[in-house]
């Protein structure tokens, strides 16, 4: 089991290093690249008991998400605390999984500066994941307004859904 953890960490490190070796992003993709760099540790099995992205304080969420999406994430978290169960969000949105993992992660700008594409493969299954980040320009710079997934509703739609 230890060798699997070391292997997975090495794959992730190589993937993030590859991301770092690319030309530095300067547009809306810079926010998404930084998000993955800052939370790559979530994919390491048995990572330290520190709060993941969705459990971060408002100030941290606002580094990546716009006000509206940040508020919805915080509302969902408050619901889960109040109800003592999952409300709307039952997975890590940047990994589209309850069990985050990634290899070969790429963050790509598109012709539309409001859309950033992220692709990676799940270790083990080798399933290709493609996420589309819909960005908005705020007074503080580019922020994530929504994340579109290929297999289910977008993050914004999930968080706005009736309970």
């Amino acid at each position: 089991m230890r060798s699997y953890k070391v292997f997975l960490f090495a794959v992730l490190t190589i993937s993030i290093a590859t991301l770092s070796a690319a030309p530095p992003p300067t547009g809306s993709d810079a926010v998404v690249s930084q998000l993955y760099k800052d939370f790559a540790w979530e994919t390491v099995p048995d990572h330290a008991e520190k709060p993941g992205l969705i459990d971060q304080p408002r100030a941290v969420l606002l580094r990546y998400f716009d006000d509206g999406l940040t508020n919805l994430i915080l509302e969902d978290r408050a619901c889960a605390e109040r109800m003592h169960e999952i409300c709307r969000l039952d997975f890590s949105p940047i990994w589209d999984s309850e069990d985050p993992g990634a290899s070969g992660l790429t963050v790509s700008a598109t012709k539309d500066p409001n859309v950033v594409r992220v692709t990676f493969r799940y270790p083990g299954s080798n399933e290709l994941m493609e996420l589309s980040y819909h960005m908005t320009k705020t007074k503080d710079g580019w922020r994530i307004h929504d994340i579109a997934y290929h297999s289910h509703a977008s993050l914004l739609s999930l968080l706005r859904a009736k309970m």
Side-chain angles (χ1 to χ4, degrees):
M1 183 63 144
R2 174 113 173 102
S3 62
Y4 173 73
K5 290 177 188 175
V6 170
F7 171 75
L8 187 60
F9 183 72
V11 168
L12 179 64
T13 302
I14 291 166
S15 297
I16 297 300
T18 302
L19 178 64
S20 299
T26 57
S28 57
D29 56 327
V31 172
V32 177
S33 291
Q34 191 63 52
L35 173 67
Y36 279 97
K37 286 178 186 176
D38 292 347
F39 290 91
W41 61 265
E42 288 185 328
T43 64
V44 179
D46 300 328
H47 60 269
E49 291 294 321
K50 59 184 188 179
L53 172 63
I54 295 305
D55 296 318
Q56 295 295 315
R58 174 183 289 280
V60 173
L61 293 174
L62 287 171
R63 290 181 202 159
Y64 312 102
F65 303 106
D66 68 13
D67 290 333
L69 192 53
T70 296
N71 289 337
L72 288 170
I73 291 168
L74 293 172
E75 286 173 20
D76 190 64
R77 184 166 63 204
C79 172
E81 289 170 3
R82 189 174 54 254
M83 304 295 285
H84 302 285
E85 62 182 46
I86 294 169
C87 286
R88 292 175 188 87
L89 197 58
D90 65 348
F91 66 100
S92 174
I94 67 171
W95 307 107
D96 192 14
S97 175
E98 292 176 27
D99 300 311
S103 66
L105 188 139
T106 61
V107 176
S108 307
T110 64
K111 290 180 183 180
D112 181 350
N114 296 308
V115 178
V116 175
R117 189 99 45 227
V118 172
T119 59
F120 58 89
R121 292 193 179 276
Y122 278 131
S125 72
N126 208 31
E127 179 184 2
L128 178 64
M129 303 303 298
E130 296 180 45
L131 288 69
S132 296
Y133 283 75
H134 296 267
M135 309 297 290
T136 188
K137 187 81 170 203
T138 71
K139 63 179 176 51
D140 298 316
W142 288 102
R143 295 296 184 266
I144 300 163
H145 176 71
D146 195 9
I147 304 173
Y149 308 98
H150 291 276
S151 61
H152 57 84
S154 76
L155 179 58
L156 194 60
S157 296
L158 290 170
L159 291 171
R160 285 182 174 165
K162 299 277 187 215
M163 294 267 314

